[in-house]
Amino acid sequence: MKLLPTLLASSYGMERGLSPLQAIMHAHRRVRNGFTIPVMDEISAENERILNQVFNERSTEPLDVMVERAVNVTESFERQGNCGSSFPSLDGSCNASNDKGRSMKAYTRLVSANYCNGRDSPRCASNGGQLPSERAISLAMRANTQRTMSNDVSYAFTAWGQFITHDIIQTPDVLGSGDVPCDCSGTAPQCKEISLDNDPVITFPCLFIIRSSSQLGQSGQGTPVREQINQLSAYLDATTVYGFTTKHRKLLTASDGMHLRMQSVKGEHFLPSVNMFNDNGIKDKFSTSSALNDKGHDELVAGDTRVLENPLLSSLHTLFARLHNNAVDQLRAINPGWNKERVFEEARLFVIGVMKEINYSEHLPLMVGNPGMAVMNNIGRGKKNKNKKRTNPDGHVPPSQDDPSIRNEFAAAAYRFGHSMVPDNFKSANTDMSQKRSAKLENNFFDPDLLFRDGAGACLRGMASMEAAKVGGHYAEATNHKLFKPNTLSHGVDLLAINLARGREHGLGTYNALRDWCMNHEDYGIMYNGLPSMQNGWNNIRNMYNNDGDIDLYVGLLMEQPMQNAQVGPTAGCIIVDQFLALRDGDKFHHENGDVFSSAQLSTLKGWTLSKALCNAMEGMGNIQANMFKKSGTGPTINCNSRNMAGMNLEAWRDDSAQSGAPAGNEGEDVCQDRFGNTLDLSGTDCTCKQAQKNKCPGICRDPRNNGAEVAVPEGCTCKQALKNRCPPPAGFCFHKKQKFNSKQFAAMASQTANEQLRTLAQAFATITTSRNSPYCREARGLQKV
Ligand code: HEM
Ligand SMILES: [Ca+2]
């Protein structure tokens, strides 16, 4: 049976009205294939040609010449940024020697590749026979394990893992934007199929993944081998916020050259919507299927194309975009003489610093516990020879501990631990952290409904109040059976089976291979106390395989008992520690390096936590866990109303030489600004500045009650209507009533400064005027029951 005769390039406009299976494929491809490098298709195709030439032994050139050619193809993607700058480039180039860690680099490996044919076909059993189907293993894991909730961490812990993943890893599909030939016949070489046998839930004839884009590599034994490609800069450098190409960065930047573009929704700053961009690349890569985004909300745009994958992830993106803009406001006030590039880059470096601080001081310790942190604290940074390598007995040389490349075992297995922690229900929360709304994840993939209804503040409070499952073999139904479920179907696909298929398709070493490498490693061996103990149900799962030596890496990692105060076992811990050591010690811009920030600036950064970031940038905050990654109720809380938590003191950035001079953005050019200092871009219009200031120009609509924030004007609507929330709303908006100002909010104002009080009042009254009975809502209700 043909599954997808052709799934054409995902051009804008096509997403609406896709079949259920096409909608799932579209979502999956959105997760995999990145943005603004149209040359990716050519790079993949050219690499496949080289791989073919070498594997089919038609090449007369020596292998190292061919490998060099392949590397040149992958890296032909132009550097994004200026090597002479004192700020990090956008794509990680020029940071480490040989541009290691920049986007468009092949993954490295801790142990040798394990392909069935020794060079590129998905791994098979060690005797050459078939491995059990990935879906069969996934179902066995479900049947043989219990799902228990973590006593230690909140869902914020899990969500942060995803947010960081989207900064450092994105593996594109080999087909890029081309047609999909996967048809369950096992013939298309670009497809890795997952066979189904009397499946209890899934009605498709098979599941499949598209193989990852790869380049030719050379194994430790000197043979040719397929190596997958990372499209993102490996460094933790907020590519989620800024993108990794100059073009994308520019599109995201507001016309003043300093702020990031935002839109005002219900008086709050949201990420910009696709409709605000006059760029087909943006519309193409950020639009989603109406079978998932079924309330018709505008899609949101950020530095990474996966932003809408779930509404809590979108809220984290919103947080950091707002933090950038708050930093811009502070830096401009402190250093009026700085030009706009300086303001932008300093704000960006600050945001990157805050992210690194949260990741290394709050997140990692909870993930790898005392044993993992002992390793992190004892090696690298000059304490030992950081270039120590441990060669495998078969000659494979793993990357050195300060080589910032992403390890294939980390990307395709270890850091996917979070998939098993994702719950079925997502929540938003009120200021007092009580539940505001609960929404099923299965209905919220690529759907920003929760975010539009309740706002990013409520979503992030919900994220901190939610429980996370313990790492283990029992996924939530939403990810086990219903990943990317379209609204017209009772199921979706299986992320656990997909992860296993991906591991095999990448030729990852087995669980035993990685466990042995880690246990015997001079530094990482201390995380073990003999062979790891395994969770209940392990024996039934391992019996699925003919041979213990065949067990998939991801299966073993999920089934290890966690280490002391950790969420993961020693083998996942070893792979994760090795990766974050490398991203720390291999990054010239690591915030603790000494020459990136002044000591006063670093001590300011050390005061930042994820909870402080929320206090600073999110509406409606009250008390919240001091360390948001800890399960609610298990540790101290902080009060966002204290000035110390809510404020952003960037005095350490004061630059005495920049106290006078032309204000940022006014460098002799004829700029048109509104009274809030926002630059209004008149290019492409016949407007005068005065008209623009009065919201009378096409494409320019600013909210005077919200510091001139950009307002998205849907087609067929005027700016005036948009400002009054009177544009025909998507059905989901009709729930809103005029906001009442309750006594609790009133009491909370007592501790606010006069300015803050004014802001609160303005927000309360500038919000929604669209009632359920407005003509628009009545019309919408007629169309769709809400
Ligand atoms: C609702 C939550 C999530 C969904 C729906 C989701 C979905 C996906 C999907 C569909 C893929 C691509 C799989 C493939 O084709 O190989 C993926 C990759 C990945 N995910 Fe998630 N994910 C979620 C949360 C997380 C979390 C919490 C983490 C980590 C803590 C995580 C880490 C990763 C990693 C490391 C990859 C590999 C990325 C790449 O190679 O491009 N994800 N995820
Ligand atoms: Ca990055």
Side-chain angles (χ1 to χ4, degrees), residues 28 31-32 107 155 158-159 161-162 165-166 169-171 209 306 309-310 410-411 415-419 422 426 441 445 479 483-484 495 498-499 502:
H28 197 171
V31 167
R32 304 262 301 157
Y107 294 111
Y155 182 70
T158 314
Q162 186 179 27
T165 297
H166 295 184
I169 303 169
Q170 190 171 35
T171 322
I209 57 173
R306 293 162 284 190
E309 193 278 333
N310 72 67
F410 177 85
Y415 213 60
R416 298 190 185 203
F417 73 92
H419 287 165
V422 173
F426 273 22
L441 174 59
F445 295 117
T479 43
L483 180 71
F484 303 144
L495 186 54
I498 289 173
N499 288 332
R502 187 65 68 200

Side-chain angles (χ1 to χ4, degrees), residues 157 160 357-370 372-373 376 415 565-567 573 576-577 580-581 584 629:
F157 173 86
W160 183 262
E357 178 58 25
I358 294 171
N359 195 62
Y360 280 92
S361 299
E362 294 193 276
H363 196 245
L364 200 56
L366 283 171
M367 182 157 43
V368 298
N370 295 353
M373 290 315 285
M376 286 296 297
Y415 213 60
N565 334 94
Q567 305 315 308
I576 291 169
V577 160
F580 281 110
L581 259 177
R584 181 190 73 186
F629 300 136

Side-chain angles (χ1 to χ4, degrees), residues 295-297 449 452-453 729-736 777 780 784 786:
K295 324 279 182 320
H297 294 296
D449 191 50
F452 274 110
R453 280 176 194 274
F733 276 100
C734 296
F735 284 106
H736 301 301
C777 274
Q784 190 177 347
V786 291

Side-chain angles (χ1 to χ4, degrees), residues 289-341:
S289 161
S290 59
L292 277 77
N293 180 12
D294 54 0
K295 324 279 182 320
H297 294 296
D298 280 352
E299 291 89 353
L300 302 172
V301 178
D304 185 82
T305 47
R306 293 162 284 190
V307 50
L308 232 50
E309 193 278 333
N310 72 67
L312 302 185
L313 176 69
S314 319
S315 306
L316 277 171
H317 278 270
T318 313
L319 168 68
F320 282 94
R322 288 188 191 176
L323 206 64
H324 172 93
N325 284 352
N326 291 351
V328 165
D329 293 340
Q330 294 294 318
L331 292 170
R332 274 178 82 181
I334 292 173
N335 298 312
W338 275 1
N339 67 26
K340 57 189 178 186
E341 285 76 24

Side-chain angles (χ1 to χ4, degrees), residues 34-48:
F35 178 62
T36 51
I37 45 170
V39 290
M40 192 68 225
D41 285 11
E42 286 158 43
I43 291 174
S44 294
E46 187 55 32
N47 270 322
E48 288 303 304

Side-chain angles (χ1 to χ4, degrees), residues 480-709:
N480 216 171
H481 300 317
K482 297 186 175 176
L483 180 71
F484 303 144
K485 183 181 104 50
N487 62 356
T488 48
L489 200 68
S490 61
H491 66 81
V493 289
D494 176 356
L495 186 54
L496 175 46
I498 289 173
N499 288 332
L500 296 176
R502 187 65 68 200
R504 293 178 187 179
E505 185 268 298
H506 280 210
L508 291 191
T510 60
Y511 170 60
N512 280 5
L514 268 296
R515 186 194 63 193
D516 294 349
W517 183 82
C518 286
M519 279 183 82
N520 292 323
H521 193 283
E522 199 180 321
D523 297 315
Y524 309 144
I526 61 162
M527 287 189 253
Y528 292 81
N529 202 351
L531 276 177
S533 32
M534 307 304 278
Q535 299 183 28
N536 288 342
W538 169 242
N539 279 333
N540 287 343
I541 295 161
R542 98 194 238 212
N543 284 340
M544 302 273 301
Y545 298 83
N546 285 333
N547 181 334
D548 272 2
D550 287 343
I551 296 171
D552 290 284
L553 173 59
Y554 190 59
V555 170
L557 296 183
L558 288 189
M559 292 300 293
E560 282 186 352
Q561 290 283 7
M563 297 179 285
Q564 190 199 354
N565 334 94
Q567 305 315 308
V568 293
T571 308
C574 151
I575 300 170
I576 291 169
V577 160
D578 178 76
Q579 185 69 69
F580 281 110
L581 259 177
L583 293 183
R584 181 190 73 186
D585 295 347
D587 182 358
K588 181 163 102 175
F589 292 99
H590 184 72
H591 67 304
E592 293 164 318
N593 277 359
D595 53 355
V596 181
F597 293 101
S598 71
S599 57
Q601 289 171 347
L602 182 57
S603 80
T604 302
L605 282 172
K606 288 276 162 198
W608 278 80
T609 54
L610 183 56
S611 55
K612 180 169 165 61
L614 259 74
C615 292
N616 177 264
M618 290 304 164
E619 65 284 357
M621 297 300 299
N623 278 319
I624 194 158
Q625 296 102 296
N627 182 338
M628 271 179 58
F629 300 136
K630 289 197 172 152
K631 183 175 177 164
S632 169
T634 63
T637 61
I638 47 120
N639 184 344
C640 280
N641 291 319
S642 84
R643 187 170 286 278
N644 187 28
M645 292 316 293
M648 177 185 280
N649 180 348
L650 298 187
E651 270 305 312
W653 276 256
R654 185 177 287 281
D655 174 358
D656 288 334
S657 67
Q659 294 314 306
S660 59
N666 256 357
E667 289 146 48
E669 326 148 19
D670 209 1
V671 274
C672 171
Q673 291 188 331
D674 65 9
R675 64 190 161 93
F676 305 100
N678 300 307
T679 304
L680 308 177
D681 184 4
L682 298 179
S683 55
T685 71
D686 293 334
C687 273
T688 64
C689 185
K690 255 202 179 122
Q691 288 171 316
Q693 285 163 336
K694 290 186 179 163
N695 278 332
K696 286 192 175 152
C697 289
I700 298 178
C701 183
R702 301 267 180 177
D703 187 350
R705 291 165 308 177
N706 194 9
N707 298 325

